Amino acid sequence: MNDIIIKTQEQIDGIRKSGHLAAQALDYAEQFVEAGVSTGFIDDKIEEFILKNNAIPATKGYNGYPKSSCISINEVVCHGIPSQETVLKEGDILNIDVTTILNGFYGDTSRMFTVGEISPTAEKLINVTKHCLDLGIKQVVPGNHFGNIGFAIHRFAKANGFSVVYEFCGHGVGIDFHEEPQVDHAARKNSGPKMKPGMIFTIEPMINQGRPGTRIDKKDGWTARSVDNKLSAQFEHTILVTETGSEVLTDIHDDYSIT
Ligand code: MF3
Ligand code: CO
Ligand code: CO
């Protein structure tokens, strides 16, 4: 494929700044995550933070999406719409997904949060999902096939008794919200295009406790839930292919080394 954008150094620097801001918005949101708080309130705080930092929440108005983040609780796989009526309770697990536009550049990241004591299964699902993302990131090297990201993720999720959501994917990102290529989280070994230095894309595996299928809420047209209403978890980073490996552009904690 030749329609995957190779970013210039200036674009890379802009996308890194935006990515760092999106990650900071998640850290800022953490203090508000507790039982009794609505996801609408958390979204308001995230929006305030993004605007105060001279950026725009990319989701607001995107294909009619109404809010500044996606907050997906328990069986919600992705695209949960924050609302004053959705109140967090003890034992909940939730993903908060933030995409910022800073000086025209997009940064996209999400991670899991927990409310009080969670079940051992929920904890295992979260840990396995984070490890799936990390295994995907390890596959980011020039010359490697995009399919090997999904191959590594699927193998590990399956070995742990979980399933990989195949109806939502990672994506090229940076100049636009969703660019080529589509980054599958379950794929055949050595399938798909090859990675080249300067490509930037997300890896954002959604891992289900039960069956892999999802259903979109008929009323709001966005909220995707697992078909069996079992738990789902997700982590997302924006990643640059370097000359020799990768840089995680949404890593503000030095969780990953630049390779
Ligand atoms: N941030 C999500 C992603 O990782 C996209 C959300 S689109 C929305 O691709 F419209 F649902 F907000
Ligand atoms: Co994304
Ligand atoms: Co996202």
Side-chain angles (χ1 to χ4, degrees):
M1 262 207 260
N2 47 15
D3 40 12
I4 303 175
I5 302 169
I6 306 292
K7 271 80 175 182
T8 66
Q9 191 57 52
E10 189 185 340
Q11 291 168 335
I12 291 168
D13 293 339
I15 296 163
R16 184 188 297 104
K17 279 203 184 97
S18 189
H20 284 190
L21 181 63
Q24 281 165 7
L26 293 181
D27 280 4
Y28 177 74
E30 185 149 33
Q31 64 190 300
F32 306 110
V33 174
E34 55 177 329
V37 174
S38 75
T39 57
F41 178 80
I42 297 170
D43 184 75
D44 287 345
K45 290 296 175 185
I46 289 171
E47 177 171 296
E48 229 175 80
F49 180 86
I50 293 171
L51 295 176
K52 201 181 65 202
N53 284 283
N54 305 311
I56 301 167
T59 52
K60 201 163 198 173
Y62 175 77
N63 291 336
Y65 186 84
K67 293 288 179 176
S68 297
S69 63
C70 297
I71 304 185
S72 304
I73 306 174
N74 295 337
E75 78 284 1
V76 178
V77 172
C78 63
H79 303 165
I81 304 177
S83 146
Q84 310 300 329
E85 274 87 65
T86 306
V87 176
L88 297 177
K89 59 180 194 312
E90 174 87 11
D92 280 346
I93 64 168
L94 55 142
N95 173 280
I96 306 184
D97 191 338
V98 170
T99 311
T100 47
I101 312 174
L102 178 64
N103 302 320
F105 298 110
Y106 290 72
D108 190 4
T109 183
S110 81
R111 62 180 167 91
M112 296 301 292
F113 297 81
T114 59
V115 184
E117 282 278 300
I118 61 168
S119 72
T121 308
E123 192 170 340
K124 181 185 171 192
L125 180 66
I126 290 172
N127 292 337
V128 167
T129 305
K130 173 64 165 59
H131 197 64
C132 281
L133 171 59
D134 294 348
L135 288 173
I137 291 171
K138 281 207 182 103
Q139 291 296 322
V140 180
V141 186
N144 196 15
H145 290 273
F146 275 94
N148 288 335
I149 294 169
F151 182 77
I153 289 171
H154 188 213
R155 190 170 51 177
F156 187 72
K158 224 171 44 180
N160 281 281
F162 297 136
S163 64
V164 176
V165 172
Y166 53 85
E167 291 162 306
F168 299 94
C169 301
H171 50 91
V173 69
I175 312 295
D176 250 311
F177 199 161
H178 293 104
E179 304 170 358
E180 289 295 317
Q182 181 176 303
V183 180
D184 295 328
H185 302 116
R188 287 194 325 278
K189 200 171 170 64
N190 294 335
S191 63
K194 285 184 182 175
M195 300 173 211
K196 293 192 182 122
M199 290 181 177
I200 295 176
F201 51 89
T202 73
I203 304 177
E204 49 181 298
M206 286 142 274
I207 306 299
N208 285 359
Q209 180 193 353
R211 289 160 56 193
T214 65
R215 250 198 303 254
I216 309 284
D217 189 294
K218 283 208 184 71
K219 276 182 237 139
D220 68 28
W222 283 102
T223 309
R225 291 188 179 79
S226 61
V227 272
D228 53 13
N229 286 315
K230 291 192 179 170
L231 295 175
S232 185
Q234 180 179 27
F235 286 84
E236 173 176 29
H237 273 308
T238 294
I239 299 136
L240 164 73
V241 185
T242 63
E243 292 295 329
T244 47
S246 69
E247 178 184 346
V248 177
L249 299 179
T250 42
D251 175 22
I252 53 173
H253 299 125
D254 288 332
D255 287 336
Y256 303 88
S257 41
I258 301 172
T259 56

